[in-house]
Amino acid sequence: MKQARWLYTLIAVYVIAAFSWWTFLLVRYNNLIHNLEQGNLRHHAELAQQELVYLALLGSFQSEKALPFKAGKVVLRADTALVRHHLTKAYPDLVLHIKAEPEFEKAFNFSKNPVELNRLEKERQKRQWMFISEATVFAFLLSWGFVVIFRSYRQKVALGRQQNNFLMSVTHELKTPLASAQLMLQTLQHRQLDEIKQKSLLGNALKDLGRLNNLMEKILLASKLDGANAQKHFQEVHLSSMCEEVFNRFVNLHPNGFVFNLHLSENVYLHGDSFMLESLVSNLLENAAKYSPDGGLISLTLNQTTDVILLSVADQGVGIPETERNRIFEKFYRVGSEETRTTKGTGLGLFIVSDVVKQHKAKIKVLDNEPKGTIFEIQFPI
Ligand code: ADP
């Protein structure tokens, strides 16, 4: 990751340097064109002067109004109106000046046409702005492209890491209850035990199989929700009784561990998928238990107002840092690293929760509980 950051910084510096250089070159090139155009004007003035003398020598500007003028050492004659007429046609970028000379009545010379000069200057400024703005837009687009590529690369690396963690924890989650149930069943097969012990071993084996079943269901549901055509079976769900059932099942699984609190408004109905909604509630409750110390209070609340149904699961556990709150719903994401974590999990629970929330067009909030812990609050529109 550090290498990638360095690489990105180097590329960014290169892009900025390349574009500054490019802009500098373009501005120089622009000034060069401008100077050439100016030079062209000067050259035109010289040409016009020579042409005027040449035509005057040939007698092209002769009339009764012709006046003498001096060209070097030669004195020629020309009608100023004819000269002006010829020059405005042949050299529109020049202005003809006719001024009084002490020895001769009139003398000619030229200057650049101010209108033309103005046009050239405007052209120059326009081109300059065009170059600068094009370079800026191009630099911006390129940098943005780099940012997008870098981000998607980073996401890919993170996803790879999360998938790896997922495989590690799933293998563990599968192996542990399986090995434990196998051991208990082998004990029952090979040893003569009294009825109470037999029942207790069977009960524990069933619990392990229940855990396995839960895990398989979670993985299946997550992959189903992830698929392009996740199937929904929407119908009228009696949310109050469904929450009660899920809660009672949850309490039975943790008979002595926590203090439980259930507050349900009666007869709350929701148009939704009952299987998905059960999964949502049980995942939130499971997490509350997983991330709470023994004896912690776990509450499930369901309320209905005129326009929303509010469902919340609160615990007094370790809490979720503010910085992690928008990442915990990502698939396979788990807070902390595999080495330091004490709880086992797959990073799928909240992914399922957020997907179910989305499917029901609901909203989910993660809030701090008092004095500690977390509240997950879901608002279903009615
Ligand atoms: P898992 O629990 O299998 O790790 P989840 O998707 O259910 O995966 O949760 C993602 C992460 O969110 C967990 O790793 C945990 O760090 C955090 N988390 C979820 N629920 C709670 C909770 N009630 N209290 C504290 N942390 C929680």
Side-chain angles (χ1 to χ4, degrees), residues 3 162 183 205-207 226 262 266 325 345 371:
Q3 273 174 339
Q162 284 166 13
L183 187 71
L206 280 173
K207 243 189 216 169
D226 215 14
L262 179 67
E266 277 177 20
R325 289 186 188 170

Side-chain angles (χ1 to χ4, degrees), residues 346-366:
T346 55
L348 287 177
L350 288 183
F351 167 73
I352 293 175
V353 168
S354 76
D355 216 291
V356 174
V357 164
K358 229 186 280 163
Q359 306 269 5
H360 289 79
K361 299 191 171 43
K363 283 185 196 144
I364 186 161
K365 278 189 202 158
V366 184

Side-chain angles (χ1 to χ4, degrees), residues 288-311:
K290 204 153 65 173
Y291 300 104
S292 290
D294 278 353
L297 176 69
I298 296 177
S299 324
L300 173 64
T301 313
L302 180 70
N303 281 317
Q304 179 164 9
T305 66
T306 42
D307 43 43
V308 283
I309 294 172
L310 265 179
L311 184 143

Side-chain angles (χ1 to χ4, degrees), residues 100-371:
E101 286 275 313
E103 297 170 40
F104 302 97
E105 282 201 37
K106 300 275 175 186
F108 303 99
N109 78 37
F110 309 94
S111 73
K112 294 159 194 165
N113 189 339
V115 179
E116 180 66 10
L117 277 180
N118 207 6
R119 188 188 68 77
L120 286 181
E121 180 55 25
K122 273 199 181 137
E123 189 91 332
R124 188 183 75 89
Q125 279 177 4
K126 211 169 93 186
R127 265 198 313 255
Q128 186 143 321
W129 274 114
M130 204 178 77
F131 289 152
I132 292 174
S133 50
E134 267 178 16
T136 315
V137 170
F138 206 38
F140 171 75
L141 283 179
L142 244 161
S143 324
W144 182 66
F146 275 123
V147 171
V148 170
I149 293 170
F150 181 65
R151 269 205 196 143
S152 72
Y153 165 76
R154 217 170 49 177
Q155 269 170 5
K156 217 172 147 192
V157 170
L159 190 69
R161 199 181 309 130
Q162 284 166 13
Q163 274 172 339
N164 206 21
N165 284 348
F166 167 75
L167 273 182
M168 272 163 71
S169 53
V170 159
T171 321
H172 180 273
E173 292 269 295
L174 284 174
K175 265 176 82 180
T176 316
L178 205 63
S180 150
Q182 194 179 23
L183 187 71
M184 282 183 255
L185 292 175
Q186 278 170 347
T187 315
L188 278 173
Q189 189 185 28
H190 297 301
R191 288 181 58 184
Q192 291 292 333
L193 298 169
D194 59 49
E195 202 179 329
I196 301 173
K197 278 213 167 133
Q198 279 183 17
K199 272 198 175 156
S200 144
L201 280 179
L202 275 173
N204 284 339
L206 280 173
K207 243 189 216 169
D208 281 329
L209 292 176
R211 255 175 78 189
L212 266 181
N213 194 36
N214 273 349
L215 181 66
M216 296 319 287
E217 263 181 16
K218 207 185 249 187
I219 295 173
L220 278 177
L221 182 61
S223 66
K224 239 195 242 168
L225 290 174
D226 215 14
N229 20 344
Q231 300 228 330
K232 292 183 272 182
H233 299 285
F234 270 44
Q235 59 194 29
E236 228 32 37
V237 180
H238 194 297
L239 207 55
S240 316
S241 58
M242 189 214 81
C243 283
E244 195 172 2
E245 268 170 42
V246 176
F247 193 77
N248 288 338
R249 228 179 306 153
F250 169 71
V251 172
N252 286 337
L253 276 176
H254 305 274
N256 314 312
F258 305 97
V259 178
F260 299 105
N261 179 14
L262 179 67
H263 174 84
L264 302 174
S265 294
E266 277 177 20
N267 292 329
V268 177
Y269 287 88
L270 177 73
H271 188 71
D273 182 311
S274 63
F275 179 66
M276 286 189 192
L277 290 167
E278 268 186 38
S279 249
L280 176 142
V281 179
S282 74
N283 271 307
L284 288 178
L285 287 171
E286 264 176 40
N287 277 353
K290 204 153 65 173
Y291 300 104
S292 290
D294 278 353
L297 176 69
I298 296 177
S299 324
L300 173 64
T301 313
L302 180 70
N303 281 317
Q304 179 164 9
T305 66
T306 42
D307 43 43
V308 283
I309 294 172
L310 265 179
L311 184 143
S312 70
V313 174
D315 64 54
Q316 296 190 328
V318 293
I320 302 175
E322 197 80 39
T323 47
E324 298 283 352
R325 289 186 188 170
N326 51 357
R327 297 214 59 195
I328 50 175
F329 296 103
E330 286 171 22
K331 197 175 184 187
F332 307 132
Y333 187 79
R334 307 196 67 214
V335 177
S337 73
E338 212 53 41
E339 293 77 42
T340 54
R341 254 194 303 265
T342 49
T343 52
K344 287 289 156 198
T346 55
L348 287 177
L350 288 183
F351 167 73
I352 293 175
V353 168
S354 76
D355 216 291
V356 174
V357 164
K358 229 186 280 163
Q359 306 269 5
H360 289 79
K361 299 191 171 43
K363 283 185 196 144
I364 186 161
K365 278 189 202 158
V366 184
L367 307 165
D368 283 325
N369 199 6
E370 288 298 327

